[in-house]
C-alpha cells in the first residue's frame, strides 16, 4: 500500500488519462443494496480504501457466496474487523468474548474463531472498457476464500501476508457486483491471539489499461552513500508494456521538492540509478523520508503511478563494529511484539499501530521483532516515520506443527508465495533491517531442515539481496558443520558453524545469553543478537551489548502485553507447598509478560529497564504483599507482582518490600521524613535493591546518589479514598475519516489527584457526537468482560477507551461515570 | 560507503559435519531417544522427562533440545544431566545413534 495513502487513508489518487481526470463512481444499484452504501466514489487509481459498508455474518452456511444469496439480515461492518474480540452470547464461564471452553484455550486467550462471511455490493459507472480492477487484502485471519459474482477467485492461507485478486475478468461492468469472502479460523490455529476476519486494510486498484507497474514491483536500494551524494538503484518490474511506454522514477524530499529523476523506456524489468546530491539519510535518530514516485507513461501521460516512502540508509553488520547505520554504531534496544492492538483485538488501524510504536519509543526502544509473522504495513510505516528498526519474521512453523491446525498444514505448498509477499511488499521500508525465516522451528537442525534453511534463506536473498537473513534459534543450535562449496553464503565458504546457523547472515538466539560470547569465541566472524530475552535479564543483556561488538542487542519477550499465551509471565500466588509448576486457568487470558501493559501503561519491569537503559536514574515500586500461607510463583518470562503504590491498608506494621531501581551507587529510603534505609549499589546488584520496611501510611521517598551527588528522587504517597474519574484524551483533535481513532485514558483518582492503585472500579461511558466506542477495557491479566461495552472495570485504577470517527467532522463529548465518584468528561474535535 | 549485499547461491549440497565429541550437550534429545537402549537409560534416570515427552508439543521440539538444554527449562536436574552425560560419553561408538 502506498505510504502516503496510508498516512491519509481517505485520500484517493486520481490518475490523469488523456487531458482530464476520470472519476468512476461506485453507486447503489437497487433498494436491496440500500444497506451497502459506498459513501465515496472509486475512481481510477491505486490504494483506494474499500473498507466501508461490508456485510457480515458469523457462521457457516451453504451458498453464501452466491450472487443471489439473501444477505438482507446481515450486519453492516466497516473494516478492519475482528470477530474474535466481539462478545459471545452470554453463557456459563463466558466473559465478553472469552470462553473457558474455547478450543485453543489459553493460547488465544480463550477466544473463539470459527467461520465468518463478508459480502459487499458495489458497482461502477462508466468504467472504461480497458480498465483493470484489482482488490488487495492486506491480511485475513486465518484461511480465506474470495468470490466475485459467484466465481471463486482464490484461497489464501497465511494470516499475515498480503494478496490480491484480479477482478476484471469476472466484473459486471454495468450491474451490481457481489464480493463474498469466507474466513475460517477452525481448530487450534495459533499459539497466540490472532483474531478472526478481515482484520487488515482492503483496497481497490483501478488502472486504465493492462499495462502497469507489477504488484510490489519496485525495489529501491541505497548502494552508495556519503555526505555529498547517494546512489540509489531502482529496479521496476512492469507488466503488459511495450517499448513505446516510458518509466519515470522520481525522488521527492520531505518538502515535496524533486531531487532526483530517471526516465527509461519501459520493458519487463527496468533498472535505473538515481543520483541524489546532499542526501538526508534515514536513521533512528533522524528518520528522514523521501517519496519515491514510479510512473508509467504513454505519450507523456501517466497511466499508472505509485508512491512509496523511501529512506536513504546503509546498514552493515560485522563482529568488530556490530551494527552500523550510515557508519554509526547502534545497539538494538528491541521488543518482540505480536500484532494485536489490545482491547481492539487484531483489527489493524494505522492510529493504533502508530500509538504502539510511540509508546515503545518513549520507553527507549529503537527496534521491534514482529513475532512471528509479518507486521502490518501501517506498523511498518510508523517505524519508518519514527526511526524504529524492524525485523520482519515470515514463519513460526515450517513442516512440523506447533499446534494442530497452524500454518504447517500449508507451508509446503505456500511458503514461496507467502515469503515473496512479505519480502516484496516490505523491502523498500528503511526500518526493515533483517528478514527472519523462522522462529524456533522444530526441524531446523535436521538434515531436511538444513536444506529448508538454505532454501528459505536463498529465496529471500533472491527477492532482496540487500538485507541479511536471520532466524530465532533456541536451545540446541546443532553440531558444527561446514557449508559445501557453492552453498555457503558469500564469505562463509569453508567456515565452521552450528548447523542451525549455517545459512543465516545474522544469528538470533532466544534465551541463550551465556552462549553468545561462547559461540562467538568458536565462530569469531559471526554476529549475534538476542531474538528473545527474559525481562529479568535486562541488565545482563545490556551489559553484554555494551561490552561486545558482536552482540547487537536484545529483543525482550515481550515489550508489550498481548492477548493469548495466557499467564505466560504472570506471577501467581500459590500455597506455600504448591509444586513448582502452576497451571494457568481461565479467566487468565493475557500473556502478562510485557514491559508495557495491554493498554499502554508501564509495568514494573519497564521501570527497571528505564534505569538499565539510562532513561531514568531512579525508579521505585513496592512488592504486592503475599497473603499468609502463600508464596509468589515467579516465572522466568515474568516479574514479581509489584505496584507503584504506598497504599496497603491491610499491611500496617507488616514488612513490605520496597524495590529501588537505580544507576546510582547509593540509595536512601525515607518514610514520613525518617530515614529507614540506606544501601550502596555495585555492579553485582545490577541496578536494583530491595529494602524491607514496616508499612505505615504516608509518604515514602527514595533518593539516589552517585559519588555523593543526588541524581534522582522518587516519592509515592498513600492514596485516600477514590474520589473522581478522570478522562484524558491522548489527542484532543483527530481526523474525521473512518479509520481515525481517539484514545482516552480513564483513571480513578483520590481527592489529591493520585491514581488509585489496586482498584477495580466499574466505569460507564457515554458518547455524544460523530464517533463510536470500539474498545474499552483495562490491562489486567484476567478476563473480566467485554472489550466493546460502554462499561468496563479498571485495573490498578486505570482503563483505556478507544473511539472511531464516523466519517464526518464535529465535536465528540465523552462522559465517564462511576458510582459514588465525581464523573469526568472530555471532548475531542474531529477535523 | 558502499552497501553490503547478500546474494543467493546456486545449488544446495548437504553440509559436511565436523568432528565432535559425543555427549549430552552435542546431540539432540531426539537423536538420543531414537536408540531404544539410550531412551530407556534416559527415562530411567529422569521419569519426569519421560512424562513430559508424552506432550505433543514437546515431541515436536525434541530435535531442538540437547539434554543439557533440558536442564535450562527444568526437565532435567543438573545432577541427572551429569550422570547421563557421563554414561553417554562412555558409550561405545556402536551403541550411539547414527548421526
Amino acid at each position: 500500500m502506498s505510504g502516503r495513502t496510508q498516512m491519509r487513508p481517505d485520500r484517493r489518487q486520481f490518475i490523469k488519462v488523456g487531458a482530464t481526470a476520470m472519476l468512476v463512481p461506485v453507486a447503489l444499484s437497487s433498494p436491496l443494496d440500500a444497506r451497502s452504501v459506498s459513501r465515496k466514489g472509486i475512481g481510477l487509481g491505486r490504494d483506494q480504501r474499500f473498507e466501508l459498508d461490508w456485510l457480515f455474518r458469523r457462521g457457516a452456511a451453504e451458498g453464501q457466496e452466491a450472487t443471489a444469496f439473501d444477505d438482507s439480515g446481515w450486519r453492516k461492518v466497516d473494516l478492519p474487523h475482528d470477530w474474535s474480540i466481539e462478545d459471545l452470547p452470554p453463557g456459563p464461564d463466558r466473559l465478553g468474548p472469552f470462553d473457558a471452553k474455547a478450543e485453543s484455550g489459553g493460547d488465544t486467550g480463550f477466544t473463539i474463531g470459527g467461520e465468518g462471511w463478508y459480502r459487499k455490493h458495489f458497482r461502477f459507472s462508466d468504467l472504461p472498457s480497458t480498465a483493470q480492477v484489482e482488490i488487495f487484502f492486506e491480511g485475513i485471519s486465518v484461511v480465506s476464500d474470495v468470490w466475485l459474482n459467484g466465481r471463486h477467485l482464490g484461497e489464501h492461507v497465511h494470516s499475515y501476508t498480503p494478496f490480491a485478486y484480479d477482478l476484471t475478468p469476472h466484473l459486471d461492468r454495468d450491474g451490481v457486483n457481489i464480493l463474498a469472502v469466507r474466513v475460517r479460523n477452525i481448530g487450534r490455529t495459533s499459539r497466540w491471539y490472532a483474531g478472526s476476519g478481515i482484520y487488515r486494510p482492503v483496497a481497490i486498484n483501478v488502472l486504465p489499461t493492462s499495462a502497469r507497474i507489477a504488484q510490489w514491483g519496485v525495489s529501491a536500494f541505497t548502494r552508495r552513500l556519503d555526505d555529498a551524494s547517494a546512489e540509489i538503484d531502482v529496479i521496476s518490474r512492469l507488466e503488459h508494456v511495450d517499448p513505446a511506454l516510458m518509466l519515470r522514477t522520481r525522488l521527492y524530499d520531505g518538502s515535496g521538492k524533486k531531487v532526483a529523476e530517471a526516465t527509461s523506456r519501459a520493458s519487463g524489468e527496468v533498472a535505473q540509478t538515481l543520483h541524489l546530491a546532499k542526501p538526508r539519510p534515514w536513521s533512528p535518530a533522524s528518520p528522514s523520508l523521501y517519496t519515491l514516485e514510479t510512473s508509467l507513461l504513454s505519450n507523456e501521460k501517466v497511466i499508472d503511478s505509485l508512491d512509496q516512502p523511501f529512506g536513504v540508509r546503509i546498514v552493515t553488520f560485522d563482529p568488530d563494529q556490530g551494527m552500523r547505520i550510515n557508519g554509526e554504531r547502534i545497539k538494538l534496544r528491541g521488543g518482540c511484539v505480536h500484532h494485536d492492538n489490545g482491547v481492539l483485538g487484531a483489527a489493524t488501524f494505522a492510529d493504533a499501530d502508530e500509538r504502539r510504536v510511540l509508546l515503545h519509543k518513549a520507553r527507549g526502544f529503537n527496534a521491534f521483532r514482529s513475532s512471528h509473522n509479518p507486521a502490518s504495513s501501517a506498523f511498518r510505516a510508523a517505524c519508518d516515520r519514527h526511526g524504529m528498526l524492524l525485523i520482519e519474521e515470515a514463519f513460526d512453523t515450517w513442516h512440523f506443527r506447533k499446534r494442530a491446525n497452524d500454518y504447517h498444514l500449508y507451508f509446503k505448498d505456500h511458503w514461496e508465495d507467502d515469503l515473496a509477499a512479505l519480502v516484496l511488499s516490505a523491502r523498500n521500508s528503511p526500518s526493515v533491517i533483517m528478514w527472519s525465516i523462522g522462529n524456533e522451528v522444530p526441524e531446523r537442525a535436521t538434515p531436511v531442515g538444513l536444506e529448508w534453511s538454505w532454501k528459505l534463506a536463498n529465496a529471500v536473498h533472491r527477492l532482496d539481496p540487500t538485507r541479511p537473513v536471520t532466524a530465532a534459534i533456541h536451545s540446541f543450535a546443532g553440531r558444527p558443520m561446514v557449508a559445501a562449496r557453492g552453498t555457503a553464503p558469500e564469505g562463509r565458504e569453508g567456515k565452521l558453524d552450528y548447523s542451525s546457523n549455517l545459512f543465516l547472515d545474522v544469528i538470533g538466539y532466544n534465551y541463550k545469553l551465556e552462549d553468545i560470547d561462547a559461540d562467538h569465541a568458536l565462530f569469531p566472524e559471526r554476529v549475534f543478537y538476542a531474538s528473545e530475552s527474559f525481562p529479568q535479564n535486562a541488565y545482563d543483556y545490556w551489559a553484554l551489548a555494551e561490552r561486545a561488538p558482536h552482540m547487537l542487542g536484545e529483543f525482550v519477550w515481550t515489550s508489550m502485553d498481548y492477548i493469548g499465551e495466557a499467564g505466560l509471565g504472570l506471577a501467581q500466588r500459590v500455597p506455600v507447598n504448591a509444586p513448582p509448576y502452576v497451571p494457568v486457568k481461565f479467566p487468565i487470558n493475557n500473556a502478562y509478560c510485557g514491559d508495557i501493559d495491554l493498554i499502554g501503561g508501564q509495568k514494573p519491569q519497564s521501570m527497571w529497564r528505564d534505569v538499565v537503559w539510562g532513561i531514568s536514574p531512579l525508579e521505585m515500586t513496592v512488592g504486592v504483599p503475599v497473603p499468609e500461607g502463600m508464596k509468589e510463583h515467579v516465572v522466568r518470562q515474568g516479574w514479581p507482582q509489584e505496584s507503584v503504590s504506598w497504599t496497603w491498608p491491610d499491611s500496617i506494621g507488616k514488612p513490605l518490600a520496597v524495590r529501588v531501581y537505580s544507576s546510582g551507587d547509593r540509595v536512601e529510603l525515607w518514610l514520613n521524613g525518617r530515614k529507614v534505609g540506606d544501601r550502596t549499589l555495585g555492579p553485582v546488584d545490577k541496578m536494583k535493591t530491595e529494602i524491607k520496611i514496616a508499612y505505615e501510611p504516608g509518604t515514602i521517598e527514595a533518593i539516589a546518589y552517585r559519588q555523593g551527588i543526588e541524581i534522582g528522587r522518587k516519592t509515592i504517597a498513600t492514596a485516600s479514598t477514590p474520589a473522581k474519574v478522570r478522562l484524558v484524551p491522548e489527542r484532543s483533535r483527530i481526523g474525521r475519516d473512518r479509520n481515525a481513532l481517539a484514545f482516552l485514558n480513564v483513571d480513578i483518582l483520590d481527592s489529591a489527584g493520585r491514581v488509585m492503585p489496586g482498584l477495580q472500579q466499574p466505569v460507564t461511558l457515554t458518547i455524544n457526537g460523530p464517533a463510536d466506542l470500539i474498545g474499552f477495557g483495562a490491562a489486567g491479566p484476567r478476563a473480566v468482560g467485554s472489550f466493546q461495552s460502554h462499561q468496563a472495570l479498571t485495573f490498578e485504577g486505570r482503563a483505556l477507551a478507544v473511539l472511531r470517527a464516523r466519517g464526518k467532522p464535529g465535536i465528540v463529548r465523552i462522559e465517564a461515570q462511576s458510582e459514588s465518584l465525581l464523573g469526568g468528561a472530555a471532548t475531542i474535535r474531529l477535523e | 560507503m558502499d552497501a553490503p549485499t547478500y546474494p543467493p547461491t546456486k545449488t544446495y549440497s548437504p553440509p559436511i559435519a565436523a568432528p565432535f565429541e559425543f555427549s549430552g550437550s552435542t546431540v539432540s534429545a531426539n537423536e538420543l531417544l531414537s536408540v531404544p537402549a539410550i531412551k530407556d537409560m534416559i527415562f530411567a534416570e529422569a521419569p519426569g522427562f519421560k512424562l513430559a515427552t508424552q506432550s505433543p508439543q514437546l515431541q515436536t521440539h525434541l530435535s531442538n533440545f540437547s539434554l543439557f538444554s533440558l536442564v535450562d527449562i527444568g526437565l532435567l536436574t543438573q545432577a541427572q544431566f551429569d550422570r547421563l552425560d557421563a554414561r553417554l560419553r562412555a558409550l561405545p561408538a556402536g551403541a550411539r545413534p547414527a548421526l
Side-chain angles (χ1 to χ4, degrees), chain B residues 8-85:
Chain B
T9 54
K10 289 195 171 47
T11 57
Y12 179 76
S13 300
I16 301 151
F20 72 100
E21 189 177 345
F22 182 83
S23 75
S25 307
T26 58
V27 185
S28 76
N30 209 35
E31 288 165 325
L32 291 175
L33 295 177
S34 70
V35 178
I38 297 179
K39 182 175 176 179
D40 290 342
M41 177 179 79
I42 293 172
F43 285 168
E45 173 66 53
F49 173 55
K50 178 182 178 182
L51 193 63
T53 57
Q54 291 169 18
S55 154
Q57 289 164 24
L58 181 65
Q59 285 169 15
T60 305
H61 284 279
L62 285 175
S63 61
N64 286 343
F65 289 106
S66 64
L67 293 188
F68 181 68
S69 58
L70 291 174
V71 175
D72 195 46
I73 60 169
L75 287 180
L76 285 180
T77 65
Q78 186 65 51
Q80 287 171 329
F81 170 78
D82 290 341
R83 287 189 289 271
L84 284 168
D85 188 47

Side-chain angles (χ1 to χ4, degrees), chain A residues 311-353:
Chain A
V312 176
R313 96 288 188 266
I314 288 180
V315 184
T316 61
F317 301 90
D318 73 78
D320 299 319
Q321 305 287 336
M323 182 179 76
R324 285 178 289 174
I325 299 181
N326 310 326
E328 182 192 346
R329 290 193 210 181
I330 293 179
K331 291 291 181 182
L332 293 165
R333 294 196 305 268
C336 298
V337 287
H338 275 309
H339 68 296
D340 72 278
N341 273 309
V343 300
L344 300 179
T348 300
F349 293 90
D351 284 352
D353 278 351

